[in-house]
Amino acid sequence: LFRGLDTSVEFKGGVVYQFAAPGVTSTQVSSTVTAAGGGTNLIVQQIDGNTKWQVQTPVLTVATQFKVENQIAARFGDARNAVSFTSIGPSWGSQISQKALEALIAFLIVIVAYLTVAFEWRMATAALVALLHDIVITIGIYALTGFEVSPATVIGLLTILGYSLYDTVVVFDKVRENTAGVLATRRTSYSEAANLALNQTLVRSINTSLIALLPVVSILAVSVFLLGNGELKDLSLVLFVGMASGTYSSICIATPVLADLKERQPEYKQLRKQIAQRAGSAKRKSKVTVGAAATDEILEVDGSGGSADVIDEAAAPDNDEAGVSVAAARPTGASPTSRVASGPRQQPRRPGSSQRRPSGKKKRR
């Protein structure tokens, strides 16, 4: 928004001079062209492996164009026919800009129409948001770094938008497969199913992008370090930036936007509420079960810290043959309704048959 883009001569018009002048500096080239009437707003670059120079000037008159050509030839000792220049008028440059913008808008319209027919309008909207993200990131990097925008850059931009869309369609196809029966089964929400689809295609997306970036990086390195500035550098640079941002947008922007749009529908909103209520009731039931199990396992503990058996007072023997007093066996602070024995459980002695009968007589058959 603040720096703007440095467009090439094809977009804004001007004159481009090319000549061979080894052993000179860019300052010498700029001062020579400016002194001949070429203006001060110049773009000076080395091309063809740093053996030639390319100077881009604003729009000049025909007389000034030839004057600059003669001055370059006289200053750097080249013959007049060794200096070549190309003049592009401002009207032709504006037409190129308009055609590039029309191509971009037509591309977006066709993509949205295709995704609406093949999937649904919410997926088309999410894909369009991801594509806009790629455009903003790519153009923003060009604006911050000051790289020149040429027709090759526009071609590369349309290419990386198609590549980003391919990655997004792969993810969306898996999302559609995983979310086909969420309303029927009512086990998972749309966001959970979409998140599963994203995890299933994550490794594939990353690996595909890395493999595609390797040749682009190679082309970019060759064009910058061996061939110098040119159309090949402009094309490979926009491909590298766009592919990296396209991979990020397909994973981190397109699917979350789609899930947010789907969760706004009443049926998916109700499904999410039911799943949350079901999870809350299951959690409460689990707490109750754990609490009941813990209550059943509570044991009385004697004074020494060891476990002891609880003996009902009604089942305790009343005679002195037990050897110890039940009252004495009760630990300090124990309840009078329970008796604790530190050893094995003291079972009451079963009385004989004669003792069970009040008269003590034998039963007649």
Side-chain angles (χ1 to χ4, degrees), residues 75-328:
R75 173 67 184 275
F76 301 111
D78 291 335
R80 185 177 182 277
N81 55 7
V83 181
S84 62
F85 68 92
T86 304
S87 178
I88 300 176
S91 60
W92 192 84
S94 62
Q95 292 178 3
I96 291 296
S97 302
Q98 183 180 357
K99 295 296 183 181
L101 184 60
E102 291 176 357
L104 180 60
I105 295 176
F107 174 85
L108 296 178
I109 292 176
V110 171
I111 290 306
V112 171
Y114 165 75
L115 291 178
T116 303
V117 174
F119 295 96
E120 58 172 315
W121 69 268
R122 292 177 182 85
M123 288 188 175
T125 303
L128 181 61
V129 171
L131 291 179
L132 293 177
H133 163 270
D134 298 339
I135 295 174
V136 170
I137 292 298
T138 305
I139 295 178
I141 290 178
Y142 266 78
L144 290 176
T145 56
F147 292 139
E148 188 179 65
V149 178
S150 64
T153 306
V154 178
I155 296 173
L157 181 63
L158 296 178
T159 303
I160 59 101
L161 292 182
Y163 184 86
S164 174
L165 185 66
Y166 158 77
D167 204 12
T168 304
V169 168
V170 171
V171 177
F172 280 0
D173 186 68
K174 192 63 177 179
V175 171
R176 182 176 60 178
E177 178 183 345
N178 287 6
T179 59
V182 292
L183 291 177
T185 58
R186 311 193 76 82
R187 293 180 180 177
T188 58
S189 64
Y190 190 94
S191 296
E192 293 172 347
N195 184 68
L196 177 61
L198 188 61
N199 290 330
Q200 291 172 343
T201 56
L202 180 63
V203 177
R204 174 184 175 181
S205 299
I206 294 177
N207 290 339
T208 304
S209 301
L210 290 178
I211 294 300
L213 282 174
L214 289 178
V216 174
V217 172
S218 302
I219 296 174
L220 181 61
V222 170
S223 61
V224 171
F225 297 105
L226 297 180
L227 302 180
N229 297 316
E231 299 293 331
L232 191 59
K233 186 208 72 172
D234 298 336
L235 181 61
S236 58
L237 181 62
V238 70
L239 286 176
F240 177 79
V241 176
M243 284 184 179
S245 62
T247 303
Y248 169 80
S249 65
S250 299
I251 297 174
C252 301
I253 294 181
T255 306
V257 171
L258 172 63
D260 182 73
L261 292 176
K262 296 292 289 187
E263 291 287 356
R264 296 175 184 270
Q265 294 182 252
E267 58 269 24
Y268 289 106
K269 188 181 297 184
Q270 181 67 22
L271 174 62
R272 189 179 186 88
K273 185 181 298 184
Q274 291 179 358
I275 294 175
Q277 292 175 354
R278 191 185 310 160
S281 61
K283 188 176 181 180
R284 289 193 298 269
K285 184 183 294 185
S286 177
K287 288 184 178 180
V288 172
T289 304
V290 172
T295 304
D296 293 340
E297 294 178 358
I298 294 178
L299 298 176
E300 293 289 342
V301 180
D302 58 7
S304 62
S307 61
D309 297 328
V310 178
I311 304 175
D312 197 324
E313 188 176 7
D318 294 335
N319 49 31
D320 297 332
E321 294 180 2
V324 293
S325 174
V326 177

